[in-house]
Amino acid sequence: MTKKKLFVFCLDALCSMDIELMRTMPNFKFMFEQGSWVTHMHSIYPSVTYPCHCSIVTGNYVEKHGIPHNEIVKAGDQNAPWYNMRQDVQSKTLLDYAKENGFSTCSLSWPVSGGADYDLNMPMIVPIGYNGPNPEQFFESTATAELVERYFPRYGHHLIGEDRSLDRYTMGLATEIIKDYRQPDVMLVKMCDLDTVRHRYGVMNGHVIEQLHKHDAEFGVLVEQIRKHGDFENTDFVILGDHGQTDIDHVLNFNILLKQAGFISVDENDQLIDYDAYCHSVGMSAWISLKDPSDEKMKQKVHEFLLSVKADPKYGLGHVFTKEEVREQYKLTGPFEFVIEGEAAISFGNTLSGDDAFSETRVGDYKTAKASHGGLPYKEQQTTFIACGPSVKQGVVIDQANLVDMAPTMAAMLQFKMQDVDGIILDPLLK
């Protein structure tokens, strides 16, 4: 029996609204002409990049895979480190199963994959704010040494300087790997720039259309490499996203309200001195943590305060979940006691400075940018899942499915099964 291959092209913040345009593009269009797709793929809660990518490859919600946020949050820390290491993910991934089933595996710029036991691995791991001259240091012991030695001298310059670009770096490696390794059996390639452009300019505009055309061209280059150096006829191609985005009206700096209510104390420079309750932004939602989670009286006091803010229409707070409620409804666990979210399209800031709880959106912070995500999965633009190849039927369109369905469906394309997953196989798409 001929061995199947799988090539996954992940576009961060790909939205279902993009399908109409993608169907007209020179390289994406064959996926729609010959394949099938899910129009509205519901993300997880919170719909932020790192937890979403863990759900894509594990088929599980946060409760099982254990990555609840991009950042490892800590009260008062405005520059918290991000989750980076595969060992932090508590579920097996699609690539783990693939390797066990005899497939060669390759992961490029995938979040939370540092140190993963894949055949070829170059994780998304250079800190988002790093501007220094030595990004190679972050790949030591986290990436496959052979890839660093072979390709970093040629493409590492893309990670240095004001015009640094992880996508250019990723494309350089991906094109070379397909040729030099004759197309690894299961290959994940993750691109970031669509998400960046949407944060900066909004969900749909000329900049976004231009970026979609760039991704179309990139996809075309990689498909052509597979035609030349791989096994195109036996490859299932998948284009997928992790979450949508939503245009933001304004930012609610909830720590200002907590400070004014006496739950937070700061010094003359608005630096945290102490707290009973603290707000951590997750973009369009936020977590409220307690200094002492075992203090039931304080927990009740904070809960009553949150409900009072929700009752005041000027703040636009639409949801207050206890940790028990959000676990039951959305399979979300994390270092919090409550989760809050706006009724309309607002995002949350972490700042302790000043006395005004409201502020404008701003470029440079993904949580409070012009467009954002991280909210309830049904509220923002949905993402999508497009598949084409020898395992996939032609012309099937599923209106709605869930992000956790991606991994078991891709495993089924490769003819193995993932165990104990929250998602289901999308059988209507498959032959």
Side-chain angles (χ1 to χ4, degrees), residues 34 85 122 124 178 225 243 259 273 287 292 294 331 348 364 417 421:
Q34 301 176 33
M85 302 304 292
M122 185 63 69
M124 181 179 178
I178 292 169
Q225 282 291 88
H243 55 70
K259 182 176 69 172
I273 296 175
W287 299 346
D292 181 5
S294 67
K331 301 185 185 299
F348 293 85
K417 187 173 183 179
V421 294

Side-chain angles (χ1 to χ4, degrees), residues 59-75:
N60 288 326
Y61 292 102
V62 170
E63 180 182 24
K64 283 186 181 176
H65 69 58
I67 305 298
H69 197 305
N70 293 346
E71 305 165 13
I72 306 172
V73 297
K74 179 182 177 183

Side-chain angles (χ1 to χ4, degrees), residues 316-329:
L317 202 62
H319 304 272
V320 175
F321 300 108
T322 66
K323 66 178 182 180
E324 293 82 10
E325 289 170 339
V326 82
R327 181 172 190 170
E328 179 181 355
Q329 295 180 43

Side-chain angles (χ1 to χ4, degrees), residues 252-285:
L252 178 61
N253 297 299
F254 207 83
N255 278 325
I256 303 298
L257 298 181
L258 291 173
K259 182 176 69 172
Q260 292 170 347
F263 294 108
I264 290 175
S265 58
V266 298
D267 62 18
E268 64 276 8
N269 297 314
D270 285 322
Q271 297 299 304
L272 182 68
I273 296 175
D274 202 359
Y275 72 99
D276 293 310
Y278 192 90
C279 176
H280 307 277
S281 172
V282 203
M284 290 182 65
S285 65

Side-chain angles (χ1 to χ4, degrees), residues 296-369:
E296 293 297 330
K297 288 186 177 179
M298 180 57 67
K299 187 183 299 185
Q300 181 63 29
K301 184 178 179 181
V302 171
H303 194 196
E304 290 172 356
F305 173 73
L306 298 176
L307 293 175
S308 72
V309 175
K310 180 176 179 289
D312 189 334
K314 74 178 179 181
Y315 295 111
L317 202 62
H319 304 272
V320 175
F321 300 108
T322 66
K323 66 178 182 180
E324 293 82 10
E325 289 170 339
V326 82
R327 181 172 190 170
E328 179 181 355
Q329 295 180 43
Y330 299 103
K331 301 185 185 299
L332 169 61
T333 57
F336 55 77
E337 296 302 315
F338 305 98
V339 176
I340 59 176
E341 181 155 343
E343 183 65 41
I346 67 171
S347 63
F348 293 85
N350 284 330
T351 186
L352 293 165
S353 301
D355 297 314
D356 190 351
F358 298 101
S359 62
E360 300 298 317
T361 61
R362 59 192 179 94
V363 174
D365 182 346
Y366 73 95
K367 298 184 290 292
T368 59

